[in-house]
Amino acid sequence: MNVKDMIRSAEKELRERFQEFEEVAYQNQARVLNAFREFKIRELHFQPSSGYGYSDMGREALENIYARVFGSEDALVRPQIVSGTHAIYSCLKAFLKPGDQLVSATGRPYDTLANVISSGSPESLTGAGVDYCEMPLGQGGYPDVEALEGALRENTKMVFIQRSRGYQARPAVPLAMIESIVKKVKLYNRDIIIMVDNCYGEFTSLNEPVGLGVDIMAGSLIKNPGGGLAPNGGYVCGRSELVQKAAWQITAPGLGKELGSIPFDKRYIFMGLFMAPHVVLQSLKGAVLLAYLFEKQGFAVAPLWNDPRSDIVQSIRLKDAEQVRRFCQLVQRYSPIDSDAALEYGELPGYMDGVVMAAGTFIQGSSIELSCDAPLREPYCAFWQGGLTYEHCRYVCERLVEEFMLTS
Ligand SMILES: *Cc1c(COP(=O)(O)O)cnc(C)c1O
């Protein structure tokens, strides 16, 4: 069978899967649209603000929309948040004091966060006297909810859940499981703050963690909720009191959410959120097509094409670091930007191992645009995510079949 036929026949098999994703995107789109209507968004909300940014109507409306769409009391959505790591760190730093215990329910956190929590330096949370407990993953790579209960103590202040697989060989955490963690933890002590790293999870389901009893969640605007249009930034959503405390970390105690001008046109942050359900749909369709093609050819892929999804990441297990690099190189070659860049493993701030990253993206490092990356460690997997259009994903899949799969 030639490549084009392979892809057409894959798409026939994937019809129902695609329809499932389309239904989710449709309902999420309606929710986003109705939030825009509720807050009566107009051209004037896009205006840049200056100086302290007091009473920036556009910023306030944007945060109201985020809160409504994600089902939380309040939200902080700012270009001053430099990345997802910064958004999450601001929360951890805001709520954890020396002597408090932080429990990670999902094993080792994402590389840049593991660094923030327990790198050993005095600036890390453990260096500053926070107790830290990392629960090993249980059956099937899911959080071990029973064992988690046993780890809770009098000084447990916070339970941390990373929704997406990150660079791990484990599934994304389903929302139902997040809900059952919430129930167990709140039964033990309702004051324990439950936080979700929601990176890559937004709009993959009909609900978001804060809509299910999670106290606070955070993520990046150059991933799902920015829709590929937001030029930078991060968000925090959750209970008002907690969002305010996180804002104190980003500005200063006593200042908080009331300050922070956005001295550029906010149109693309709004428009990106409006587009996000659709762009996430494109990514999910692309990820499932890639999974299907490689799975049929005998590669170990995760998730499988028909597995439930709670993030947009698709991992493909490969033989060695060089194969991973070659795979990423092809994704780079068929990107709109920097298509001629030669990829190598390199050092990035916050990452402990070398990383190779295909990010031929309009917005630097944006991973809601089609991108593919991997840390230099076993098991050697390429992590594919994003895609502004399904057609781009499809084209790159075709190229990968021809130039990688059939020659490896
Ligand atoms: C991307 C990501 C982060 C944050 O990464 P930044 O590059 O700092 O935005 C955190 N956790 C997970 C699971 C991620 O995928």
Side-chain angles (χ1 to χ4, degrees):
M1 213 191 309
N2 71 31
V3 185
K4 289 201 181 339
D5 289 340
M6 256 172 96
I7 291 191
R8 268 188 223 111
S9 114
E11 283 172 331
K12 274 203 191 105
E13 285 286 315
L14 291 171
R15 272 252 316 263
E16 272 181 35
R17 206 73 239 271
F18 284 6
Q19 278 170 1
E20 229 177 88
F21 296 146
E22 282 158 8
E23 183 57 31
V24 171
Y26 176 70
Q27 294 195 36
N28 283 332
Q29 184 70 75
R31 206 166 68 231
V32 172
L33 170 66
N34 285 320
F36 273 71
R37 293 178 57 239
E38 178 182 347
F39 294 102
K40 302 188 169 61
I41 302 310
R42 310 190 185 297
E43 173 85 16
L44 96 96
H45 289 111
F46 306 151
Q47 294 299 313
S49 55
S50 66
Y52 296 118
Y54 290 128
S55 320
D56 177 338
M57 281 177 59
R59 186 195 66 214
E60 288 170 7
L62 179 69
E63 292 180 341
N64 286 334
I65 294 179
Y66 260 76
R68 184 64 87 247
V69 165
F70 289 156
S72 63
E73 274 179 17
D74 204 354
L76 186 70
V77 184
R78 303 290 167 120
Q80 286 86 3
I81 300 177
V82 303
S83 67
T85 305
H86 185 197
I88 297 161
Y89 172 71
S90 304
C91 299
L92 297 175
K93 188 74 185 158
F95 312 137
L96 293 164
K97 299 292 166 257
D100 289 343
Q101 191 200 34
L102 166 67
V103 178
S104 165
T106 41
R108 191 145 191 78
Y110 190 72
D111 294 54
T112 55
L113 284 162
N115 226 358
V116 155
I117 296 170
S118 58
S119 65
S121 83
E123 286 74 30
S124 69
L125 292 171
T126 54
V130 171
D131 279 351
Y132 176 55
C133 167
E134 206 166 85
M135 299 302 298
L137 293 164
Q139 199 80 38
Y142 291 104
D144 186 341
V145 184
E146 303 301 321
L148 172 66
E149 241 186 321
L152 301 176
R153 301 212 302 255
E154 210 169 302
N155 69 334
T156 306
K157 183 68 186 284
M158 205 169 173
V159 169
F160 182 81
I161 302 165
Q162 178 183 306
R163 179 175 178 184
S164 170
R165 72 193 53 242
Y167 286 147
Q168 284 175 322
R170 57 108 167 155
V173 187
L175 289 182
M177 194 164 256
I178 293 181
E179 237 182 328
S180 73
I181 294 175
V182 170
K183 283 211 185 86
K184 284 263 156 78
V185 172
K186 293 290 179 183
L187 205 61
Y188 176 85
N189 176 358
R190 54 193 296 273
D191 295 333
I192 294 175
I193 299 169
I194 301 173
M195 161 149 207
V196 170
D197 167 357
N198 204 36
C199 284
Y200 290 140
E202 300 89 353
F203 299 119
T204 58
S205 311
L206 292 176
N207 230 320
E208 297 294 338
V210 286
L212 301 169
V214 161
D215 296 292
I216 193 129
M217 70 183 195
S220 166
L221 298 199
I222 63 169
K223 293 182 179 174
N224 307 14
L229 289 171
N232 72 345
Y235 77 86
V236 172
C237 278
R239 279 166 39 209
S240 302
E241 166 217 351
L242 301 179
V243 171
Q244 184 63 266
K245 279 191 178 158
W248 289 348
Q249 284 300 317
I250 286 153
T251 59
L255 302 184
K257 280 196 75 195
E258 285 66 39
L259 273 79
S261 57
I262 305 182
F264 58 85
D265 193 327
K266 297 192 256 300
R267 187 178 320 264
Y268 291 110
I269 318 179
F270 281 95
M271 197 170 165
L273 179 65
F274 184 74
M275 293 297 297
H278 182 71
V279 173
V280 168
L281 166 66
Q282 305 302 292
S283 302
L284 286 171
K285 287 167 74 173
V288 164
L289 176 64
L290 181 80
Y292 184 93
L293 294 167
F294 275 75
E295 198 180 324
K296 291 286 153 180
Q297 206 65 29
F299 286 80
V301 308
L304 302 178
W305 70 268
N306 55 356
D307 277 342
R309 302 217 165 208
S310 189
D311 70 2
I312 60 166
V313 181
Q314 181 63 50
S315 81
I316 311 278
R317 177 83 186 265
L318 299 169
K319 264 207 312 271
D320 52 31
E322 175 51 21
Q323 263 205 348
V324 170
R325 195 200 59 79
R326 268 187 51 225
F327 188 101
C328 293
Q329 181 68 72
L330 285 166
V331 176
Q332 183 78 32
R333 182 177 302 159
Y334 297 106
S335 295
I337 312 300
D338 297 328
S339 56
D340 59 338
L343 297 189
E344 283 176 43
Y345 287 90
E347 285 181 19
L348 272 184
Y351 290 84
M352 278 161 284
D353 299 301
V355 221
V356 63
M357 288 198 169
T361 51
F362 290 92
I363 287 160
Q364 189 192 75
S366 166
S367 46
I368 186 60
E369 298 182 50
L370 183 53
S371 50
C372 191
D373 38 62
L376 182 51
R377 62 171 176 248
E378 289 190 58
Y380 294 106
C381 292
F383 295 87
W384 154 298
Q385 65 270 314
L388 296 179
T389 70
Y390 171 67
E391 292 75 15
H392 181 202
C393 300
R394 187 186 200 268
Y395 184 74
V396 179
C397 282
E398 187 186 299
R399 296 293 89 224
L400 281 167
V401 168
E402 197 130 88
E403 299 178 43
F404 182 92
M405 194 160 86
L406 300 180
T407 63
S408 297

